[in-house]
Amino acid sequence: MPLLDLQKLTVGLSRAWAGFLRDWDRSLRAGNYPETTRYNYLLAAAQLGRYLGDHSPDPDAADAAEDPCAVTRAHVEAFQGWMIETRSASTAVNKHKGLQQFFKWLLLDEEAIDRSPMQRVRQPKTPRKLIPVMRDEDTSKLLDACKGKGFANLRDEALIRVYCNTGARLSEVGNLLAADVDLNTESVRFHGKGAKDRRVRFGPKTARALSRYLRARDKHKGCCPAAPVAGRARHRSVDSERHQDPAQTAGRRGRGGGRARPPVAAQLRPRVETPRRRHR
């Protein structure tokens, strides 16, 4: 199921807003923007349009709710304040960046406005939070739970060791293919955010766990041919306030690079849930 459904995303918007967002999405696709980036951008603009029609206290918000070219700096600042109050400062920052791109497109590409309403609109400040790092003893407990010679045991140990040893994102590990693993150089190629690839070395224990798993995986090709090393990882919707916005009915997140993914090997048993680690 695709993440970006433009028809659902524009529910409740005027024809002018929906038309501009459709044209903007076409421009973003032509620029080869990842689907997740397009979704974030379009969602921010769609939420601003719905806010102006349903929640804005400004007396001239009705005109802006009909036409994005009528949006003013005051409208954007009120929207950001509302986002901070109803969601969070980090969400407001996400919307600020998306709206910057939208009005820049209206100004430079479409020439529909003479001045961007984002000029001199301050980006919300966000508090710095320390990310809890998983302790070694907790990692050992996870690995102890995976002990065994069964296929699922070998698979889970290999995935946990790759995840802990490389510091990669969960989605990067979940989308690995066997061809991405090079046991000769003890390294793995990750397909990261923004369609950026990188190669990372791993240790001998991880190499041994991967080697054992790949041998066991070869015996299971009959039930899941050409399966990824782990399978596609499930993600939450980009916006945590999905339940408050009828346009957000996103399913499984697709990869920005457009790499096709075969059936998942990880579905043979529920995925082991691991505490969050610090990403490098």
Side-chain angles (χ1 to χ4, degrees):
M1 179 179 178
L3 172 68
L4 203 165
D5 187 332
L6 195 58
Q7 185 174 358
K8 291 183 178 180
L9 205 61
T10 55
V11 168
L13 297 179
S14 67
R15 291 187 60 183
W17 271 93
F20 274 121
L21 292 187
R22 181 189 62 246
D23 294 344
W24 188 32
D25 181 50
R26 185 187 305 113
S27 177
L28 293 173
R29 284 188 283 112
N32 197 29
Y33 282 74
E35 185 185 26
T36 50
T37 301
R38 289 164 41 219
Y39 176 78
N40 272 331
Y41 285 176
L42 292 164
L43 179 62
Q47 287 179 320
L48 172 61
R50 275 190 289 274
Y51 165 80
L52 293 170
D54 301 335
H55 303 286
S56 178
D58 295 329
D60 58 344
D63 294 335
E66 289 297 322
D67 187 352
C69 298
V71 174
T72 66
R73 174 186 173 185
H75 294 146
V76 176
E77 289 178 333
F79 172 69
Q80 285 189 179
W82 180 74
M83 272 289 168
I84 294 173
E85 293 173 359
T86 59
R87 275 75 165 181
S88 67
S90 59
T91 300
V93 170
N94 184 298
K95 307 308 173 187
H96 178 92
K97 294 178 179 179
L99 292 176
Q100 276 185 326
Q101 298 301 317
F102 175 58
F103 288 108
K104 179 181 178 180
W105 173 79
L106 281 180
L107 175 66
L108 301 179
D109 290 35
E110 292 297 295
E111 298 181 349
I113 55 178
D114 298 325
R115 180 180 178 182
S116 171
M118 298 300 297
Q119 287 186 12
R120 296 194 298 276
V121 175
R122 296 181 180 180
Q123 179 174 301
K125 294 183 178 180
T126 56
R128 289 183 175 271
K129 295 182 180 180
L130 291 177
I131 302 175
V133 179
M134 187 174 174
R135 298 176 300 176
D136 291 341
E137 51 265 34
D138 294 327
T139 303
S140 299
K141 291 178 182 179
L142 280 174
L143 293 173
D144 288 341
C146 298
K147 285 184 176 179
K149 296 184 178 180
F151 172 76
N153 300 89
L154 296 174
R155 179 202 64 203
D156 292 344
E157 180 183 355
L159 293 178
I160 292 173
R161 286 195 179 278
V162 170
Y163 183 48
C164 297
N165 199 179
T166 62
R169 293 174 178 269
L170 180 59
S171 60
E172 293 173 337
V173 176
N175 283 315
L176 279 178
L177 295 175
D180 297 327
V181 179
D182 188 343
L183 293 175
N184 293 324
T185 61
E186 294 187 351
S187 64
V188 61
R189 182 180 63 186
F190 289 119
H191 307 282
K193 186 177 180 180
K196 297 178 180 178
D197 290 3
R198 71 185 191 282
R199 184 166 289 279
V200 180
R201 297 289 297 271
F202 49 75
K205 291 184 178 179
T206 302
R208 184 163 54 251
L210 279 169
S211 181
R212 290 173 178 173
Y213 166 61
L214 291 175
R215 285 197 297 269
R217 176 180 172 276
D218 289 339
K219 299 179 182 179
H220 285 74
K221 281 187 176 181
C223 64
C224 49
V229 170
R232 185 188 297 273
R234 289 184 178 271
H235 294 270
R236 296 175 63 86
S237 174
V238 173
D239 236 5
S240 60
E241 70 269 22
R242 176 176 55 179
H243 63 284
Q244 297 176 338
D245 195 323
Q248 299 178 52
T249 54
R252 184 173 299 180
R253 179 182 297 179
R255 282 184 44 80
R259 286 163 50 88
R261 296 294 169 183
V264 294
Q267 290 179 353
L268 295 178
R269 83 175 236 189
R271 176 170 58 83
V272 175
E273 295 291 342
T274 61
R276 180 177 298 176
R277 293 185 64 88
R278 185 186 299 277
H279 294 147
R280 293 181 182 174

